[in-house]
Amino acid sequence: MWFKNLYIFAFTRPFTINEDELESQLQENQFRPCGKTEMSHFGWSNALGKHGQRLLHHANGCFLLSARKEEKILPASVVKEALDEKVEQLEQEHSRKATKKEKEQFKEDITFELLPRAFSRISDTQGYICPAKNIIVINTSSRSKAEDFLALLRKSLGSLPVTSFAPETGAETIMTSWLLEQNLPEQFLIGFEGELKALGEDAAIIRCKNQDLLSDEMLAHLNTDKQVVKIAFDWDQTLSCVLADDLSVKRVKFFDVIHEQNADIQSDDILVKIDADFTLMTGELNRFIDDLLTQFGLRTDSYLETE
């Protein structure tokens, strides 16, 4: 339930779909296991996993969704071995080289034949929509998985007017100023991990851990045309994370003081506990996102189109 990575997207038009409408539209693309001859399938699964029956969970004004993908695993070496045998057989029987078209057809036939026996890999990607904040927050460290989540939601809803947050001044410039000018508010405490990158295509990259980012050594790098592209920090005695220059947030870890707020809920009342955790998490993440975007001159309603 507790998100560990964040890709944050802004609505360009208010999200006005209510809970019942959203549930109904998600059902059009509900997850089902792959058929015998399918390579993959992607759809919406129960938002609360084995503990729920619905494709969304609504709490704290936010909608929790979970996208599930099943992919069949066919090792390339197995396919190649079978293909080589087919090609060799043809060449021996007909005393000629196999054409490109014939090889492609062989490969297609082999894949079709092997799929029913292939292993499956299943992965889930969760995200929440907060209409009041005009944002979608997706729990993944992969930009492509975030885009897949949005594409599935767009398919379900017919349209999805969202965009990435992008400050007018480059994020790396602002992040660099946090170290050079030490101008972050007091609720942001710079951590001991970061990545610096010089300008240019073949630029030097410095990755560091357990390093004081405000040391003279690091500041010297910044004064020689390097910029911050990743930086770790703690926020408001609530969580720690690593921020990248595309404003994605990785390795989010909520502090014990936050988890302890729901510690008195009985462990056997799992749905109540999940609901309380989701409410607590979205409340803290929404505060964090507001605070973070402010440092880049943005708001969660920055991209709403005005009529």
Side-chain angles (χ1 to χ4, degrees), residues 95-274:
S95 300
R96 64 175 177 81
K97 295 288 186 181
T99 66
K100 181 179 179 182
K101 185 175 182 180
E102 286 172 329
K103 290 180 180 179
E104 289 174 350
Q105 184 61 52
F106 285 156
K107 186 174 183 179
E108 185 177 322
D109 292 342
I110 291 166
T111 300
F112 186 83
E113 180 183 344
L114 293 177
L115 272 177
R117 292 177 283 161
F119 290 105
S120 290
R121 175 173 55 206
I122 293 178
S123 59
D124 294 317
T125 304
Q126 288 186 314
Y128 75 82
I129 300 169
C130 184
K133 292 291 185 179
N134 299 297
I135 55 173
I136 296 178
V137 182
I138 303 173
N139 179 20
T140 180
S141 61
S142 164
R143 176 79 189 198
S144 64
K145 287 187 177 181
E147 295 288 357
D148 287 345
F149 186 100
L150 294 178
L152 181 61
L153 188 55
R154 186 175 293 109
K155 180 180 178 182
S156 300
L157 303 183
S159 66
L160 187 66
V162 296
T163 188
S164 300
F165 285 98
E168 292 185 9
T169 302
E172 65 281 358
T173 300
I174 294 172
M175 292 160 65
T176 301
S177 76
W178 294 350
L179 300 186
L180 288 177
E181 301 174 20
Q182 300 186 33
N183 57 3
L184 269 174
E186 62 180 10
Q187 66 267 32
F188 290 87
L189 180 63
I190 298 296
F192 292 85
E193 180 178 347
E195 183 174 315
L196 313 183
K197 185 177 181 180
L199 302 176
E201 293 185 2
D202 299 319
I205 297 176
I206 297 174
R207 297 184 178 93
C208 54
K209 289 186 177 182
N210 303 319
Q211 169 70 50
D212 181 2
L213 299 183
L214 296 174
S215 67
D216 290 342
E217 177 186 358
M218 298 305 294
L219 296 180
H221 284 297
L222 295 177
N223 284 315
T224 55
D225 296 326
K226 292 184 179 69
Q227 292 186 312
V228 177
V229 294
K230 289 183 182 178
I231 188 170
F233 59 82
D234 295 352
W235 173 75
D236 201 29
Q237 300 182 358
T238 298
L239 59 83
S240 63
C241 65
V242 176
L243 177 69
D245 57 353
D246 63 354
L247 300 192
S248 63
V249 185
K250 310 293 174 62
R251 306 213 312 268
V252 177
K253 183 178 180 181
F254 288 88
F255 296 154
D256 289 344
V257 66
I258 300 300
H259 290 288
E260 288 168 0
Q261 292 185 33
N262 288 337
D264 60 340
I265 298 175
Q266 296 298 317
S267 58
D268 57 352
D269 201 348
I270 187 65
L271 289 178
V272 173
K273 179 68 163 62
I274 291 174

Side-chain angles (χ1 to χ4, degrees), residues 21-68:
E21 291 172 335
L22 182 55
E23 174 84 22
S24 176
Q25 289 174 292
L26 295 179
Q27 288 174 356
E28 295 295 320
N29 293 284
Q30 188 168 358
F31 175 80
R32 58 171 176 75
C34 287
K36 289 185 177 181
T37 58
E38 287 184 303
M39 282 293 295
S40 66
H41 188 74
F42 191 43
W44 301 111
S45 61
N46 292 341
L48 300 182
K50 64 182 180 180
H51 302 294
Q53 301 296 324
R54 301 186 65 198
L55 299 181
L56 63 83
H57 179 70
H58 185 211
N60 195 32
C62 299
F63 299 110
L64 175 67
L65 312 176
S66 182
R68 170 165 291 188

